[in-house]
Amino acid sequence: MPAARVGSTKVGIYACGITPYDATHVGHAATYVAVDLLQRALRDQGLTVRYASCVTDVDDPLLERAAGTGVDWRELAAEQTALFGADMAALAVIPPDVYSGVVETIPATVDAVQRMLADGSAYRVPLEPGAGGATPELGDVYADLSGDGGFGNVSHLSEAEMLALFAERGGDPARPGKLNPLDPLLWRRERSGEPHWEAGSLGAGRPGWHIECAVIARTALGKDFDILAGGSDLLFPHHEMSGSHLRALAGGAAAPRIQVHSGMVGLDGEKMSKSRGNLVFVSTLRADGVDPMAIRVAMLAHHYRSDWEWSDAELRDAVARIEHWRAALSGAVAPPPDDAVAEIRSALADDLDSPRAIRAMDEWAARTLAGPKHDEEWPEGEPGVMARTVDALLGIRI
Ligand code: ZN
């Protein structure tokens, strides 16, 4: 687990948020549960955590879904953001201290892109005919990655690998007029039928994906915050590009100090993703009467960095585990919990080893249910200590 900056008792965490065009699937929720576990472990060490996240409330997939279903994109975004919040509350995820939307951040983003243009870390790219409203000559704006010596230091990919992932995950390597195929979009000028905002010298348009997170994180946490978190599919290009923008905006060395990436959750042998359509939604499970704590326990049974597969068997195991814990916690007496609490803390301090932490709880529960040995005397009240421990450290409310 990342340690605090030397001499500081404050930790800033930024986790990339959702694009609110569909309900929260289990894979996505697992990322926020991992960030939540990190936050709880840091708080338990006596650190003050400031957690920021975002909602990408204007983006291509959202606009496409809205157009395809005949719903206003703003209504779709508001509705799905509210559902996401309800899912997170049910999963006992501590809410961010700062939760910003892309739309509300547009003035700060415009300012950032203007600064990058002024200092030469961004450039304009000519538009196709018909784009750009009354000022097509202003063009779209792209970041110039050539001046960033730190680019690629997080993902360590070859150029061919970067190009393939960039094309697959929202990039436009074939866009004519770019200096480098990998250069990412900062500002997209207005196109027919697309929402756009006035932006002074940039010309009306909307922000690119990576600059949004860089600006929201920097605004909420300062230029050298500690931890940037998200699913492993955000490592490239999103986090590499956002990190590059943060350096450009800081004029060189800048955060994030550490990047944390959670594994992918699969279903039937494939990664669970919106584009594949093989999704298990948290809201659907809740509507079917599944205990959200069982969903959370199923996630914690896997180390946050590992890829794993969701299944009915995983859920059944989690439900059985909670019943076992509940039976142990409902008694008046239990063995002294000090060793179990220490083991849970030690597991979390070891790169958030949640499977080891829940095994410690399993063992304590088994010992409790077995009852005291003939020469043992167990004090009253100990089950309450363990209930508060799993609530505080693991976010499991029994
Ligand atoms: Zn992001």
Side-chain angles (χ1 to χ4, degrees), residues 285-309:
L285 291 170
R286 288 168 54 215
D288 288 347
V290 173
D291 178 358
M293 290 297 100
I295 302 172
R296 182 162 173 130
V297 163
M299 292 170 179
L300 296 182
H302 301 271
H303 188 268
Y304 77 92
R305 276 189 288 104
S306 63
D307 296 335
W308 56 284
E309 295 219 354

Side-chain angles (χ1 to χ4, degrees), residues 14 16 213 238:
Y14 181 82
C16 288
C213 279
H238 184 52

